[in-house]
Amino acid sequence: VCVCVCVLVHFPSSSVRYLLRLAGPRTVPVEIGALYTDDAWGQRLMSLADFIRSHVLQSGETAGYLAQHPLFEQIPALAADLYTPDYCCLGNGNLLQTNAWLGPRGTVSPLHHDPNLNLLAQVVGAKYIRLYAPEHNDALYPHPDLLLANTSQVDLDKPDHTKFPLCVSVRACVCVRMYV
């Protein structure tokens, strides 16, 4: 695990006013509900301005989260704010995708793994991350539903050690990344 600090020195897109001015009327997909594993979870299309006003600047009745969205492709003027560090091309030489996640304080994603390698650039706020080695996958009980196969059934905030006994012995690398 490598944690790079002070990579984002100047990023104007972190200003809500800047985002609203540049991209406010654009339509984005927003996840509605606390967790994508919940039955009540869904998605809704809305303007970026409505999302920011309803879910980021004030807490709404239901949680809203702009997750894994190619916002920088959708709004090229935002992409101009990005600088891709050279080390992003050290693998196979190709940057596969650049996505944006935008959510209010307290946004939580269930324990999951992604199909691609990731580099997280936290622009504003804080991010608590638990990383597990791939060999612990079975002990983290992947979801049996094919659509959720990359997601653990274990709620790490309230683990049920009777139902998921193997998760007790798995150790994580914990990272807390803050940027204000």
Side-chain angles (χ1 to χ4, degrees):
V1 174
C2 176
V3 177
C4 303
V5 180
C6 296
V7 174
L8 295 171
V9 177
H10 174 70
F11 190 71
S13 297
S14 65
S15 160
V16 170
R17 186 175 306 147
Y18 178 79
L19 281 173
L20 290 172
R21 181 174 52 81
L22 200 61
R26 299 302 296 267
T27 301
V28 294
V30 176
E31 296 182 359
I32 304 295
L35 300 170
Y36 65 78
T37 52
D38 291 347
D39 290 335
W41 179 89
Q43 290 185 314
R44 188 177 326 149
L45 294 175
M46 63 179 69
S47 72
L48 185 62
D50 287 345
F51 165 69
I52 289 172
R53 288 187 189 107
S54 301
H55 297 284
V56 176
L57 296 178
Q58 62 185 7
S59 55
E61 217 173 270
T62 56
Y65 188 37
L66 176 68
Q68 198 167 331
H69 180 62
L71 190 66
F72 304 103
E73 286 178 29
Q74 181 184 8
I75 305 163
L78 288 177
D81 295 336
L82 294 178
Y83 164 76
T84 303
D86 293 339
Y87 51 79
C88 289
C89 299
L90 291 177
N92 63 9
N94 296 320
L95 185 63
L96 297 178
Q97 48 190 195
T98 303
N99 290 320
W101 286 258
L102 181 60
R105 179 185 312 263
T107 300
V108 175
S109 294
L111 177 61
H112 67 280
H113 63 85
D114 293 326
N116 299 315
L117 297 175
N118 289 284
L119 175 67
L120 168 68
Q122 185 73 25
V123 178
V124 175
K127 187 77 168 172
Y128 179 88
I129 304 165
R130 293 179 181 124
L131 299 174
Y132 293 91
E135 59 265 20
H136 298 306
N137 189 53
D138 289 342
L140 295 169
Y141 299 88
H143 207 284
D145 183 332
L146 188 57
L147 289 174
L148 297 172
N150 71 324
T151 303
S152 173
Q153 297 178 74
V154 180
D155 178 349
L156 292 175
D157 292 326
K158 300 177 291 211
D160 181 340
H161 294 153
T162 303
K163 190 173 180 181
F164 307 113
L166 297 178
C167 74
V168 174
S169 62
V170 179
R171 298 288 171 246
C173 172
V174 175
C175 307
V176 177
R177 178 71 186 113
M178 289 190 262
Y179 192 95
V180 181

